[in-house]
Amino acid sequence: QDEDAGWSLSGSMPKKAAKKADEPAPEAVAAAAWECPECAQENEADDATCVACEFERPGGAAAQDEDDKFKGFCVGLITALEDVAGKDKLRELEVDVGGPASLKIVTNAPNVAVGARVVVATVGALVNDVAVKKASVGGVVSEGMLCDAPMLGWTGGGAGNAALVPDSFSPGDKPPPRRPRMDGK
């Protein structure tokens, strides 16, 4: 499909539709104090939520809940980006999602760049009750899709722009329940 065929951010789903993986041992995740991405409060290693604003710790225990609304969603780090030949708005991304292999994702989101941390819906994740599938977009296979703020239920952030998260999130972390501050405060 090409970008004119009604595809969303990655082309894996029509616009109209809008892991239980091996995780590090809990003691490895909770080994160090952490800074809240929402308010920059320094928190103790064993705090699951921020003591100042109650923001959930990135990758915290609640993120392991198999029934949460972000099952199949994770933070990804864009490691490579190139334009798709013959397609004005499409870009092919290499995205580190914390697993053994990076994902190739095709997107038309204008705000992506190498080094950006984005929210990824992996194959099988439900976005607006429709499962994300591996799909050919502009002649390139896309192994997931980037999410925008409305897809995640976040307020703020525009439709069509990739949902960004701060550097305090690692590849593979669950996305936060609401849009985090990006200004470091």
Side-chain angles (χ1 to χ4, degrees):
Q1 296 282 357
D2 64 26
E3 68 264 1
D4 297 324
W7 293 93
S8 64
L9 286 178
S10 76
S12 297
M13 295 179 47
K15 282 184 184 175
K16 292 179 182 172
K19 92 189 179 180
K20 192 167 187 180
D22 295 329
E23 297 289 333
E27 52 275 23
V29 172
W34 60 281
E35 183 176 294
C36 176
E38 180 72 12
C39 70
Q41 170 69 38
E42 187 72 23
N43 292 280
E44 298 293 322
D46 59 347
D47 290 337
T49 59
C50 177
V51 295
C53 71
E54 297 184 1
F55 193 81
E56 183 180 316
R57 177 183 180 159
Q64 306 305 318
D65 182 1
E66 193 171 355
D67 296 325
D68 84 271
K69 72 177 185 173
F70 292 132
K71 182 178 178 185
F73 293 73
C74 64
V75 171
L77 174 65
I78 299 173
T79 58
L81 177 151
E82 64 181 64
D83 292 336
V84 174
K87 305 296 178 187
D88 290 342
K89 296 179 183 179
L90 292 180
R91 296 187 201 163
E92 180 181 359
L93 310 176
E94 187 85 18
V95 183
D96 176 1
V97 292
S102 294
L103 298 180
K104 292 211 181 277
I105 297 178
V106 179
T107 186
N108 63 359
N111 64 328
V112 294
V114 171
R117 292 172 195 269
V118 294
V119 178
V120 175
T122 60
V123 171
L126 295 178
V127 176
N128 298 329
D129 297 322
V130 177
V132 174
K133 297 177 183 173
K134 186 185 270 191
S136 178
V137 183
V140 179
V141 174
S142 186
E143 302 171 317
M145 67 183 292
L146 300 189
C147 298
D148 63 16
M151 288 176 186
L152 299 168
W154 293 356
T155 55
N161 285 321
L164 303 176
V165 296
D167 292 346
S168 58
F169 287 84
S170 297
D173 284 351
K174 290 287 184 177
R178 61 182 188 263
R179 184 172 174 237
R181 291 179 61 139
M182 294 296 292
D183 60 5
K185 293 183 182 179

